[in-house]
Structures are given as C-alpha cells and as structure tokens.
Amino acid sequence: QVHLVASGGGLVQAGDSLRLSCAASGRTFRTDSVGWFRQGPGKERESVAGITWSGANTLFGDSVKGRFTISRDNTKNTVYLQMNSLKPEDTAVYYCAAGSSPFIATMARGYDYWGQGTQVTVSS
C-alpha cells in the first residue's frame, strides 16, 4: 500500500506561482510513475503532468506545457509540481496518483493509489 498526501495548494493571483508536493508513505514508491491530475468546477478530471520513477521522462497536458514542471526526490519519497504563470482556468482540486507502470499514464485508471487532493484557486 502507498499512502499519498498532496499539499501546497492555496489562493493566488493570476501570474503567481505555486509548488505542490505529493508525499508518499507506506511501501516505497521509488519505482512508481506518478501523475498529477486536476478537476475544476463542473469539469472532468484531466491529466496535468506525469513523471517516471527515475525522473528521466515527463509528460504534460497541453494546457500547462511551458508553465508547469514536475520533479521528484526519491530520497524523500516526494514528487513536486511547480506551477508558474498561473491562470484563473488553472483553478481546480489537484490530485497526485502513483502506479507501478513504468510508463506515464494519462488516464486515471492507469494509477493504483491517489492522494486526497489540494485546492488551487487562481484569482484574476
């Protein structure tokens, strides 16, 4: 079992930055791929970013490319989502997820474990 805790959300203004963290406990998730998803008001959950276990490969959704980066520190069992140049449309609950696949899944069913979500609100 892997227990994930997402944190770092908050209320910011457009153009600001935030860094989300996804901390894992339980068995190590050093060999898991990790993804970040978000779900805005009245919207479906969408894939934001993903990273393989080594950190060598990353993937981003079209709406965040060039603004968000993802990284991981396996010594701390933590994955980070750096969000820059935030826009009001980035407002959502952000979830991290971990899965044993060596590939980055962009669908929620590709992950076995989910964090509880952290709210990001971007005001205009």
Side-chain angles (χ1 to χ4, degrees):
Q1 285 281 347
V2 175
H3 180 61
L4 303 177
V5 177
S7 63
L11 172 63
V12 297
Q13 294 186 330
D16 286 349
S17 298
L18 275 176
R19 188 177 79 160
L20 305 184
S21 298
C22 177
S25 60
R27 71 162 178 80
T28 179
F29 82 162
R30 291 186 179 88
T31 57
D32 288 2
S33 292
V34 174
W36 282 97
F37 290 75
R38 68 185 182 186
Q39 188 164 15
K43 299 180 180 179
E44 293 186 353
R45 189 170 297 193
E46 66 169 327
S47 173
V48 175
I51 188 168
T52 52
W53 71 270
S54 67
N57 294 295
T58 59
L59 189 68
F60 297 93
D62 289 341
S63 61
V64 305
K65 282 180 181 177
R67 298 188 297 123
F68 290 13
T69 59
I70 187 170
S71 61
R72 67 191 297 164
D73 184 343
N74 286 338
T75 65
K76 297 181 179 178
N77 264 4
T78 303
V79 172
Y80 304 98
L81 183 69
Q82 178 66 42
M83 307 186 296
N84 299 326
S85 302
L86 283 162
K87 304 176 181 179
E89 50 264 45
D90 294 318
T91 294
V93 178
Y94 284 70
Y95 301 89
C96 62
S100 58
S101 170
F103 306 105
I104 300 170
T106 57
M107 303 292 288
R109 62 175 179 264
Y111 296 93
D112 304 308
Y113 304 101
W114 289 81
Q116 84 289 1
T118 184
Q119 176 71 48
V120 173
T121 303
V122 185
S123 64
S124 58

